[in-house]
Amino acid sequence: MRSVDVARTALGNTFRSKLRTALTVVAIVIGAFTLTLTSGLGAGVNKYVDNVVAGFGDSSQLFVLNAGAGDAEPTEGPAEYDPEAATGSGGMFGPGTGGGLLTESDVETIEGIDHVSGVDPVVMVSPDYLETADGGQYDLDLDSPANAVGLELAAGEAPGDDGMDLSIPEEWLTIYDTEDPEAVIGETVQIGISDVTGEQTSVEAEVVGVTEEALSGIGATPMPSRELNQELSDLSMQGYEGQAEQAYSMAVVDVDDLAANEDSVKNALTDEGLLGMTVEDQIGAVQGVIDAVSWVLSGFGLIALLAASFGIVNTLLMSVQERTREIGLMKALGMSSGKVFGLFSMEAVVIGILGSVIGVVLGLGAGLIGNAWLTGESGPLGGVAGLTLFAVDPLSILGITALIIGIAFLAGTLPAARAAKKDPIEALRYE
Amino acid sequence: MSIPVLETENLVKVYGKGATRFDALKGLTFEIHEGESVAIVGKSGSGKSTLMHLLALLDEPTAGVVALEGEPVNKLKPKKISQLRNDTFGFVFQQFFLNPNQSVLENITLPLKIAGMGKSERNRRGMEVLEQLDMADKAKNKATNLSGGQKQRACIARALVNKPTVLFADEPTGNLDTATSEIVEDILFGLHRDYGITLVVVTHDEDLAAKCQRRLMMQDGEIVTEEHGVKEVQA
């Protein structure tokens, strides 16, 4: 018997008892649907995270923190005081933020490490308010300029190194009573900040960009240029008596050929009590969680498939029983046991193909429509720029289809072997 | 004399063991030559069906040898035996064994499909045989919509479609009334007469057996008598 005839006959036999086949296929569809949806979800969210990582762009950078801030290992009882560990000086960050800061000497140490080509220490400032041209004052938290590369811009440009510039988030457009982000570019604002003696001063800054909120949270708060940030920092230190030691929340370190030197630089930093992390290190943890969640969900899909495979076994066993005489006749007429086995396992494969194709198509449909609805302009998650919850990954679609067909084939082997073993004489005598 | 198409030597078939042991065949030795028509006659339980199954290579003997065209088949692999059955034998069963969901043409071309022949060639050969048996107009009908006589003619068509050397007929008229039986018998003996096909008929029907050139009378697993020559049946 030719393979094409085996396939055609199997297809014909599958549709002989339509209801039974349909019910078996439904079980497979549920599994295929779940798997498609969960893998698409994982792929979609990971794709978004990748985009966020790509948004940070410069992959030659390492973010360096004081190890005390990086690994907040819980200690039994009160931690011992360590004079070497830098603390927030001058109350710049207020009480409770001490520890885990970088000092000038740390920055020098970092500069001394091999392969480090540049160190950009980040100063955190806590301004009091932002005042618009018409006098309205708003509570203000500023993002760090080091995050500027991760900004998703709705209009204008990201605040750079020079110039007294800042960007504002899209939500802040309500201040100007407009929905057009372009309209606020060029507006000037006053930023007020208190120095150590409690006296408020203010500086003028220009709005150069409007940002969308990214998954990382970047873009949700105004972001100053480096010059504005430094200016605010200097203002906040006014009136400090004695030697003010500059302290940094972290440093952005440029490394030559990060891919090759990542480990050596990180080790050198660790020796100095510092912690270096790449963007991938930070985002990787997020992706790990997403992967874990999508694997757990896929596990449910697999359980559904496992149950469905017993449906195939059951359906085909019934079919073999019903067609005992037909099998006997085919064997009497010279069909080999191998071909009988092939015919019945092909029927299982046909059921698998039907179920997987229908399930995958439904899963893709549900995923794409759900994604369009949830992340669309007016959807519940529409505010998050560039968010994708579902992505089509052709490889994993093919993988899912192949997996299901494989499972169907395995499920078909038991009934097929039973059919192949039938003795033609017994089968023909069977009433 | 030419090599017999089928021959047996001391053919023994035993079912069961110990107390339930049943000797279905007790050492049969005979030959069937090409172009012969042979009836295996006996009551139920005489071992005639068992003998046919062994001759048709559907079953293996407990002891003894079946040889096809001088070649013992005992040593052959199952796959080869299946292929031999497909190539050399045609089968007509008492209970037609037609697939009710398929058309007559699909039913009768099953042996060719099993042999691995392409669809167009299959259908051409199938139509040829159906025309030969005046069934061409039923080719597209579902097998369930046929009368008993038509069903048996379809079965004969299926048995002939692979141009077999030997045609086995197991109670071919057992399910048919007298008039249709005669038509089916005429077809079978016509094929034997006109195309020289070797006919092996298993039956308990004396009238059908009488039309064969040779009759092997079986009883309790042994051939008790052997008759030669076509008997004139008294009307």
Side-chain angles (χ1 to χ4, degrees), chain A residues 274-285:
Chain A
L274 301 169
L275 177 72
M277 286 198 291
T278 61
V279 175
E280 280 81 6
D281 288 339
Q282 295 172 321
I283 305 291

Side-chain angles (χ1 to χ4, degrees), chain A residues 394-413:
Chain A
L395 264 184
S396 65
I397 298 288
L398 280 179
I400 289 167
T401 312
L403 173 78
I404 292 171
I405 293 172
I407 289 176
F409 173 78
L410 280 180
T413 52

Side-chain angles (χ1 to χ4, degrees), chain A residues 1-2 5-6 8-9 13 16 325-326 328-337 423-425 427-431, chain B residues 15 53 58-59 79 82-83 85-86 91 93 95-97 99 101-102 110-111 113-119 122 158:
Chain A
M1 203 168 186
R2 291 183 177 189
D5 282 323
V6 171
R8 204 183 280 150
T9 309
N13 289 342
R16 225 192 267 180
R325 285 169 141 213
E326 188 188 327
L329 178 73
M330 288 192 292
K331 293 192 84 171
L333 295 182
M335 189 142 155
S336 65
S337 298
D423 173 15
I425 299 170
L428 288 174
R429 215 178 273 152
Y430 175 85
E431 294 297 328
Chain B
Y15 292 109
H53 293 149
L58 286 167
D59 205 354
K79 204 173 173 179
S82 291
Q83 206 189 326
R85 267 207 309 274
N86 187 265
F91 292 96
F93 302 100
Q95 303 121 312
F96 322 120
F97 296 128
N99 187 335
N101 305 291
Q102 293 181 332
L110 180 61
K113 187 163 152 184
I114 290 170
M117 189 181 280
K119 194 173 184 185
R122 269 196 330 247
R158 182 175 62 199

Side-chain angles (χ1 to χ4, degrees), chain B residues 58-212:
Chain B
L58 286 167
D59 205 354
E60 285 173 27
T62 313
V65 180
V66 176
L68 180 67
E69 280 156 359
E71 296 278 341
V73 293
N74 304 39
K75 299 281 185 286
L76 296 177
K77 284 181 182 158
K79 204 173 173 179
K80 178 72 186 158
I81 291 176
S82 291
Q83 206 189 326
L84 271 180
R85 267 207 309 274
N86 187 265
D87 285 346
T88 33
F89 298 150
F91 292 96
V92 177
F93 302 100
Q94 181 180 0
Q95 303 121 312
F96 322 120
F97 296 128
L98 294 169
N99 187 335
N101 305 291
Q102 293 181 332
S103 72
V104 171
L105 187 62
E106 281 174 295
N107 262 295
I108 67 154
T109 53
L110 180 61
L112 302 179
K113 187 163 152 184
I114 290 170
M117 189 181 280
K119 194 173 184 185
S120 54
E121 176 67 6
R122 269 196 330 247
N123 288 347
R124 197 186 59 72
R125 291 264 294 268
M127 286 310 294
E128 255 177 41
V129 176
L130 284 177
E131 269 161 35
Q132 193 183 339
L133 296 176
D134 292 329
M135 288 277 289
D137 55 328
K138 305 285 185 207
K140 300 281 174 230
N141 288 28
K142 290 267 181 213
T144 31
N145 300 336
L146 299 179
S147 69
Q150 286 169 334
K151 277 183 184 165
Q152 196 57 300
R153 267 194 280 171
C155 288
I156 295 172
R158 182 175 62 199
L160 289 177
V161 79
N162 59 342
K163 298 193 165 61
T165 331
V166 184
L167 189 69
F168 289 98
D170 186 1
E171 302 282 10
T173 58
N175 271 355
L176 302 175
D177 59 47
T178 320
T180 23
S181 290
E182 267 175 35
I183 297 171
V184 168
E185 285 170 18
D186 286 349
I187 293 170
L188 287 176
F189 288 104
L191 290 167
H192 169 247
R193 188 179 59 237
D194 301 337
Y195 300 93
I197 209 162
T198 311
L199 197 60
V200 179
V201 183
V202 176
T203 185
H204 64 268
D205 179 352
E206 298 279 338
D207 293 353
L208 175 58
K211 293 182 182 174
C212 295

